[in-house]
Amino acid sequence: GFAVDIPYTFGTELHPIHAATILSTGKLGTCGLHIDYEFWYLGVPVRVRYCHLNTIYVGVGQNVVRDEVIGTVGDTGVSDGPHLHLVMWVDQERVKPEDYLKTTLEDTMNTDRIITALGIIWGWATKLDELTAKEASQQIRDAVVAVKEELGLN
């Protein structure tokens, strides 16, 4: 369904999946102790909820970074043992976290490198009409090598 349960040992430290702003914390029905946080990805808000926490180390409105500990795994609320119950909304629509995390999270980490790579491609693409065929093919080969290096593909 639209949530994923990740087994962890009790007390495991939890980090946000992206630098974010804390939206809400505290008890939330069957979810138990929770943290909701939000970040923007490609101009779209992504909201993440962690449920069944044991401890919460953050407050509403706080800005957090990826390596920050925001809480710990517990079994509060309706739970059959310690685990992280993860819920996500992208642009206010619930999504399957595993689908989102497989694609966009990997993209987030590579965005800066991809932008740099596109800059390299654009650099030679704008010069192509001034070059001979031989010069152009060499430029393209150089650009491909540079892009592969930038993306760690070589």
Side-chain angles (χ1 to χ4, degrees):
F2 285 101
V4 64
D5 288 326
I6 306 165
Y8 281 115
T9 52
F10 189 89
T12 300
E13 294 182 334
L14 295 169
H15 306 264
I17 58 175
H18 194 283
T21 303
I22 304 300
L23 296 180
S24 67
T25 66
K27 284 186 179 174
L28 186 70
T30 58
C31 177
L33 288 180
H34 86 289
I35 297 172
D36 276 21
Y37 61 86
E38 183 179 66
F39 59 90
W40 288 75
Y41 177 74
L42 298 179
V44 174
V46 178
R47 182 179 184 134
V48 179
R49 174 172 294 159
Y50 291 171
C51 290
H52 310 304
L53 305 182
N54 182 52
T55 48
I56 295 171
Y57 297 132
V58 290
V60 174
Q62 187 175 334
N63 292 317
V64 293
V65 293
R66 278 187 60 182
D67 61 358
E68 196 165 337
V69 178
I70 60 173
T72 61
V73 171
D75 60 355
T76 57
V78 178
S79 169
D80 56 4
H83 69 283
L84 174 65
H85 183 85
L86 175 67
V87 189
M88 295 182 77
W89 295 260
V90 175
D91 206 11
Q92 297 171 354
E93 286 196 29
R94 276 181 80 158
V95 297
K96 291 184 177 178
E98 58 272 31
D99 294 347
Y100 177 85
L101 293 171
K102 272 183 211 151
T103 55
T104 31
L105 201 60
E106 289 166 7
D107 293 348
T108 305
M109 295 175 204
N110 289 322
T111 299
D112 292 344
R113 291 156 71 199
I114 290 167
I115 288 169
T116 303
L118 289 173
I120 293 166
I121 293 170
W122 181 249
W124 62 254
T126 53
K127 296 181 198 137
L128 283 185
D129 55 356
E130 304 163 19
L131 303 172
T132 66
K134 189 176 177 185
E135 288 171 330
S137 64
Q138 186 57 51
Q139 285 275 332
I140 291 168
R141 277 199 297 276
D142 292 348
V144 167
V145 168
V147 167
K148 280 184 170 179
E149 280 176 10
E150 185 61 38
L151 295 176
L153 299 175
N154 45 343

